[in-house]
Amino acid sequence: MKKLFIINIVLCIIIAALTSCSDSKTPKTEESQTTSAPTTTTAEQTSENTTVQTTSVPVSTKTETVSAAAYVAEFDSHNIDRLSLGGCHTGFVKEDGSLYVWGCGFERQLGNGEYTIADSPIKIMDDVEKISFGFENSAAITKDGSLYIWGKHNPIPDGPSGLFMCPDVPEKIMDDVKYVSLGTYHTAVIKNDNSLYMWGENSKGELGNGKSGYYEYSDTPVKIMDDVRCVSLGFLHSAAITNDGSLYTWGCNRNGQLGNGKSGESEIEAEPVKIMDNVQYVSVGEEHSAAITEDGSLYMWGRNNFGQVGNGHSGENEIQTEPVKIMDNVQYVSLGMLFSAAITKDGNLYMWGENGSGQLGNGETGNEALSSVPIKIMDNVEAVSLGNGHSGALTKNGELYMWGNNSLGGVGIESDDYRIPVPTKIYIP
């Protein structure tokens, strides 16, 4: 058991699990008129499977152990409004603005002042409007536009600024913030005037300020663009959408994650490069990317070793260097470390990619259980968020379901197996 625990901790700290434009809350916008799609290749036809039946096993007390059952206390799941998953930790915001977290806190990412694992939700803050959880870090925006951060934000020894720090409780660092996205070691915010600011590591040009290099970093916010409405950060790359629907990407492009038709270890874009038009939403994962156009088409590109691009291919040398169309009628998309999820406009949740810990939710686990095409998992879904190897979804009636890797408590479900292969309702005693 000790060896397994150490292996899971090492797995959790290898690479980033990254965030989307904001915390997981499906955009509620009127359907846009159909627009011409950008020039891309055509994906193989989407595969639809039978929905996996979800489980819900009541637990009467916290001390009672029931396989594949969740125990959550002191809140009503029907009031959950926002959801975000980090590398090995999970958080949600209730309708009253209270923020709860659980999972791995070895880098203080839980915000409770402790270096520990929490297997049940801990209340951290009030008056929260939005959240974004990164690999080992966390951020929240309160209703007055204040930005708070905690966890591992890649501190530099004797750094001159308070932005490079590892606070163990939420610490305010900025005002007038509308959106925040966390990468592994870099951060982006959209201010109320729609200006985009970034800071953190910049070894591969991921800040977009025209610089790159091993010793390049910024410990203070640098203004990158104006007129920005959406931003998402990956491991070493970044993406943003301007108000006219233009999608820009920048940073590392070793596996085609920028979508500009190139790939290679030396491929770096240190400034934003325009990739597509008519884009409504963007989400980036470890080294793959996704965009939803105004007509509801989902396009994806980047590293595809586990089928995470969803184009029917997978393999160590599989790279998609340009946007390829995967699905129609898509409302929302979220990317994890090596897997992906999308919600259609009728509320159906589809998932694809790596499935070693059951993070796809189709009842299977193992390296050979990957899916290179979208598989239907649930219906009646409002929002979805993905972490390193665990997944979470909110239904339209406000119920929370979790599944995937639970070795460090991110799923929050009591089970004899750290792999939870099907969506399991977080039950209220």
Side-chain angles (χ1 to χ4, degrees):
M1 286 298 294
K2 183 176 180 181
K3 182 177 180 181
L4 177 61
F5 182 73
I6 294 173
I7 290 173
N8 281 311
I9 291 177
V10 172
L11 177 63
C12 184
I13 65 175
I14 290 177
I15 275 183
L18 310 18
T19 53
S20 301
C21 288
S22 62
D23 51 289
S24 185
K25 175 79 171 181
T26 304
K28 290 186 169 91
T29 57
E30 295 182 0
E31 292 187 12
S32 303
Q33 294 181 351
T34 302
T35 58
S36 57
T39 303
T40 61
T41 59
T42 303
E44 295 186 17
Q45 188 172 6
T46 298
S47 172
E48 180 173 333
N49 289 2
T50 304
T51 304
V52 175
Q53 183 176 2
T54 58
T55 62
S56 176
V57 184
V59 180
S60 58
T61 65
K62 186 174 182 178
T63 57
E64 180 183 1
T65 301
V66 179
S67 178
Y71 181 91
V72 181
E74 298 181 356
F75 65 90
D76 181 358
S77 66
H78 292 275
N79 291 327
I80 296 176
D81 188 55
R82 303 271 179 175
L83 175 69
S84 185
L85 275 59
C88 301
H89 64 303
T90 300
F92 63 84
V93 180
K94 291 175 58 177
E95 291 178 353
D96 64 3
S98 54
L99 168 63
Y100 290 81
V101 301
W102 73 85
C104 180
F106 289 161
E107 295 295 343
R108 311 304 202 274
Q109 61 264 50
L110 298 185
N112 63 339
E114 299 181 7
Y115 177 88
T116 186
I117 291 176
D119 56 7
S120 60
I122 302 170
K123 185 177 178 181
I124 302 299
M125 294 176 63
D126 289 308
D127 298 319
V128 175
E129 179 70 19
K130 296 181 178 68
I131 55 175
S132 176
F133 284 9
F135 178 44
E136 296 173 324
N137 47 11
S138 307
I141 302 172
T142 55
K143 294 178 181 178
D144 65 357
S146 300
L147 174 66
Y148 290 79
I149 65 171
W150 60 97
K152 186 176 182 179
H153 284 261
N154 198 34
I156 294 176
D158 301 319
S161 163
L163 288 180
F164 277 97
M165 56 188 179
C166 286
D168 56 9
V169 295
E171 183 160 344
K172 181 178 176 179
I173 65 167
M174 192 178 295
D175 292 310
D176 302 318
V177 176
K178 181 160 58 174
Y179 291 107
V180 59
S181 181
L182 302 181
T184 310
Y185 300 124
H186 65 308
T187 303
V189 297
I190 301 176
K191 304 276 281 185
N192 288 336
D193 63 358
N194 297 324
S195 56
L196 174 66
Y197 285 81
M198 299 187 67
W199 65 91
E201 280 201 3
N202 197 28
S203 60
K204 300 294 184 179
E206 56 264 45
L207 295 189
N209 63 349
K211 302 177 182 179
S212 67
Y214 184 76
Y215 295 104
E216 282 292 335
Y217 65 89
S218 176
D219 55 8
T220 57
V222 178
K223 185 176 180 180
I224 305 301
M225 299 174 65
D226 287 308
D227 202 33
V228 176
R229 75 179 186 209
C230 183
V231 63
S232 182
L233 306 187
F235 177 39
L236 293 169
H237 74 298
S238 310
I241 304 171
T242 54
N243 283 325
D244 64 358
S246 299
L247 172 65
Y248 293 82
T249 64
W250 60 95
C252 179
N253 196 32
R254 62 189 176 196
N255 282 299
Q257 57 262 52
L258 299 188
N260 62 355
K262 304 175 184 179
S263 68
E265 288 293 337
S266 62
E267 286 294 331
I268 294 174
E269 295 290 349
E271 295 181 351
V273 176
K274 186 175 178 179
I275 303 299
M276 296 172 64
D277 292 308
N278 303 318
V279 177
Q280 183 179 14
Y281 192 76
V282 64
S283 177
V284 302
E286 178 204 355
E287 291 185 322
H288 67 305
S289 308
I292 302 173
T293 56
E294 293 176 357
D295 65 354
S297 300
L298 173 65
Y299 290 82
M300 297 194 65
W301 59 95
R303 190 181 185 189
N304 197 29
N305 54 331
F306 283 94
Q308 59 264 46
V309 170
N311 62 353
H313 302 285
S314 65
E316 188 59 37
N317 296 320
E318 282 292 332
I319 296 174
Q320 179 67 44
T321 62
E322 295 181 344
V324 58
K325 186 175 179 179
I326 304 300
M327 295 175 64
D328 291 309
N329 198 39
V330 175
Q331 173 80 2
Y332 188 75
V333 63
S334 178
L335 304 189
M337 182 176 175
L338 296 168
F339 63 118
S340 311
I343 303 172
T344 58
K345 293 180 180 179
D346 53 3
N348 292 324
L349 172 65
Y350 290 82
M351 300 191 68
W352 58 98
E354 201 265 335
N355 196 29
S357 298
Q359 59 263 52
L360 297 189
N362 64 344
E364 300 180 4
T365 62
N367 291 333
E368 301 301 320
L370 65 83
S371 178
S372 61
V373 294
I375 302 171
K376 183 179 176 182
I377 303 300
M378 295 174 63
D379 54 21
N380 196 40
V381 176
E382 174 74 14
V384 63
S385 183
L386 308 183
N388 253 25
H390 69 305
S391 309
L394 289 176
T395 63
K396 292 185 177 180
N397 57 349
E399 295 177 336
L400 174 61
Y401 286 79
M402 301 287 300
W403 61 98
N405 192 328
N406 194 37
S407 60
L408 294 174
V411 174
I413 292 174
E414 296 179 3
S415 174
D416 296 332
D417 191 343
Y418 76 89
R419 296 171 296 185
I420 310 297
V422 294
T424 304
K425 182 179 177 181
I426 300 300
Y427 182 77
I428 310 304

